[in-house]
Amino acid sequence: MKTIQSIDVLIPVFNEEECLSLFISRLSTVLDNMDLSYNVIFVDDGSTDNSLSMIKYACENKPQLGYISLSRNFGKEAAMSAGIDTSRAEALVIIDADLQDPPELIPDLLNVLEQKDADVVFARRKKRHGESFIKKAFARIFYRIFNKLSRFDFPEDTGDFRILKRRVVRALQQIEENNRFMKGLFAWVGFQQIEFLYDRDSRFSGKSKFNFIKLLSFALDGITAFTTIPLKLASYVGSSFALLAILFGIYFLLKSSILGDPVPGFPTLIVALSFFSGVQLMFLGVLGEYLARTNIEAKKRPLYIVRESRLSSEDSGKHTENQHQPE
Ligand code: UDP
Ligand code: MG
């Protein structure tokens, strides 16, 4: 049953000059062959290479293509949010520019969405080509921990490649928090979500923008945004150790009063001191992580700033009024 007549396609782009021309041609072929109207939204996330001029050039030649260019690199999560905020079509596809997510799968995603009457169809990778063992292992551990800690599950081996119905996009547009962990938010909004298995290709060219440190901070963002269990853990572990320390104290008091204390308890002192200060510092850190994020949210800065934009054809009037566009 064909129900969806129009789609938006959102592509976050950060320094992808090597992939872009092939990506654009593959994407256009796919979209032109689909029997519906479409708008493409490239979000240039402050690229420093030729990506933006390549995007502009492509947009000039094809009215369905449009772009938003951010004032600097805000990160993929913010770039996606910028695109989501402007989407008006009946469904929105999110896809990477590096050809790891094959554009040829878009019709399949749409098909499943329509056939199963789902709200979201997310692509789940069967295999990850060209990703290091360590990255895969870390991803696995992260998903395990996250799903254990948070109150809802979010699927493993899933990127941002997905199609969302308008009502889901609207739900995402309402979320104002600054610490955007999109994978978590996609799951948090609920709705009927269905997976679609695919083989994830290697990057067509260039390197992943996410190094180990970035991924670690990304994981931390995810955990602190969606669960407060580390805070609870801090109070549990902290109070257990405090109790233990009191028992220790009583034990030493009794021991020295009965047996006397021939050697002043230097080792015990040092061990206890360093151990407890370690535990305290660790949990101060946990508190700090949450506090820092609350602080960021309290500032209510916009998630991204648009430098310039030219969104495709009919909707362009509507789009401009909704943007955080500086004068
Ligand atoms: N990207 C972005 N802003 C960033 C980093 C990445 O818009 O700060 C885009 C990038 O151009 C690509 C997508 O997000 O289209 C996925 O990035 P990448 O391939 O580096 O991530 P990975 O596939 O390794 O998760
Ligand atoms: Mg990639």
Side-chain angles (χ1 to χ4, degrees):
M1 191 182 39
K2 204 165 159 33
T3 51
I4 289 173
Q5 314 290 344
S6 67
I7 58 170
D8 284 335
V9 180
L10 158 60
I11 307 123
V13 178
F14 177 51
N15 292 349
E16 301 285 3
E17 60 181 7
E18 290 156 14
C19 309
L20 267 174
S21 28
L22 182 63
F23 174 80
I24 293 173
S25 84
R26 274 174 61 180
L27 181 73
S28 304
T29 313
V30 171
L31 294 176
D32 286 335
N33 285 323
M34 287 171 80
D35 182 22
L36 41 67
S37 77
Y38 69 86
N39 284 313
V40 174
I41 311 164
F42 287 100
V43 182
D44 166 50
D45 187 15
S47 297
T48 50
D49 65 358
N50 278 322
S51 299
L52 182 59
S53 46
M54 291 172 76
I55 291 171
K56 282 184 178 169
Y57 178 76
C59 292
E60 262 158 38
N61 294 316
K62 219 169 154 66
Q64 295 97 324
L65 309 188
Y67 69 90
I68 302 172
S69 176
L70 303 186
S71 61
R72 63 170 169 85
N73 178 244
F74 280 86
K76 185 183 180 190
E77 313 297 296
M80 283 194 288
S81 306
I84 288 172
D85 287 347
T86 61
S87 170
R88 298 286 177 275
E90 287 167 55
L92 170 70
V93 174
I94 303 177
I95 185 168
D96 284 358
D98 60 0
L99 292 166
Q100 280 192 286
D101 310 328
E104 290 74 21
L105 290 184
I106 294 175
D108 298 329
L109 290 180
L110 179 64
N111 254 337
V112 178
L113 191 77
E114 288 178 326
Q115 301 304 327
K116 301 261 167 80
D117 195 26
D119 296 310
V120 177
V121 178
F122 57 87
R124 178 168 178 176
R125 34 203 184 225
K126 275 189 270 185
K127 281 187 226 125
R128 294 181 171 208
H129 294 289
E131 288 181 19
S132 70
F133 170 76
I134 297 188
K135 184 168 174 182
K136 284 188 249 185
F138 264 100
R140 167 133 306 164
I141 293 170
F142 169 69
Y143 283 108
R144 289 278 145 79
I145 295 181
F146 190 95
N147 284 341
K148 280 254 151 53
L149 290 187
S150 72
R151 258 196 279 165
F152 54 89
D153 269 8
F154 81 113
E156 208 170 319
D157 288 336
T158 307
D160 298 310
F161 186 25
R162 60 189 61 225
I163 184 165
L164 318 155
K165 266 202 189 142
R166 175 87 195 119
R167 48 177 169 249
V168 184
V169 172
R170 249 193 319 240
L172 290 169
Q173 287 169 346
Q174 285 166 13
I175 295 173
E176 283 178 2
E177 68 193 84
N178 246 293
N179 176 8
R180 294 234 145 192
F181 179 67
M182 290 308 284
K183 265 183 262 211
L185 293 177
F186 287 143
W188 179 85
V189 292
F191 294 101
Q192 207 199 332
Q193 312 212 6
I194 292 184
E195 68 177 27
F196 178 89
L197 286 173
Y198 80 118
D199 275 322
R200 183 156 164 96
D201 295 332
S202 311
R203 237 174 186 282
F204 170 69
S205 177
K207 271 204 315 220
S208 169
K209 313 286 183 301
F210 293 88
N211 56 26
F212 180 70
I213 300 287
K214 264 198 185 168
L215 281 176
L216 199 66
S217 103
F218 188 58
L220 214 59
D221 276 347
I223 289 175
T224 49
F226 284 95
T227 132
T228 47
I229 293 205
L231 286 179
K232 279 206 194 107
L233 200 72
S235 22
Y236 292 154
V237 176
S239 39
S240 327
F241 277 120
L243 194 72
L244 217 66
I246 294 175
L247 295 179
F248 248 146
I250 295 174
Y251 168 74
F252 281 118
L253 198 71
L254 289 178
K255 195 177 155 206
S256 55
S257 55
I258 295 167
L259 299 174
D261 192 9
V263 189
F266 190 65
T268 351
L269 202 68
I270 286 299
V271 169
L273 206 70
S274 52
F275 182 68
F276 289 117
S277 47
V279 171
Q280 281 178 22
L281 274 182
M282 181 174 127
F283 287 112
L284 269 182
V286 173
L287 285 174
E289 290 289 339
Y290 280 93
L291 195 66
R293 279 164 182 79
T294 315
N295 185 30
I296 289 172
E297 297 296 340
K299 287 189 208 150
K300 288 215 178 299
R301 287 196 186 134
L303 263 177
Y304 54 86
I305 294 171
V306 177
R307 194 174 90 88
E308 55 173 319
S309 73
R310 213 216 68 180
L311 287 154
S312 42
S313 58
E314 69 272 12
D315 282 335
S316 49
K318 256 192 268 170
H319 286 140
T320 5
E321 65 195 58
N322 281 305
Q323 281 159 18
H324 306 250
Q325 187 134 30
E327 299 301 14

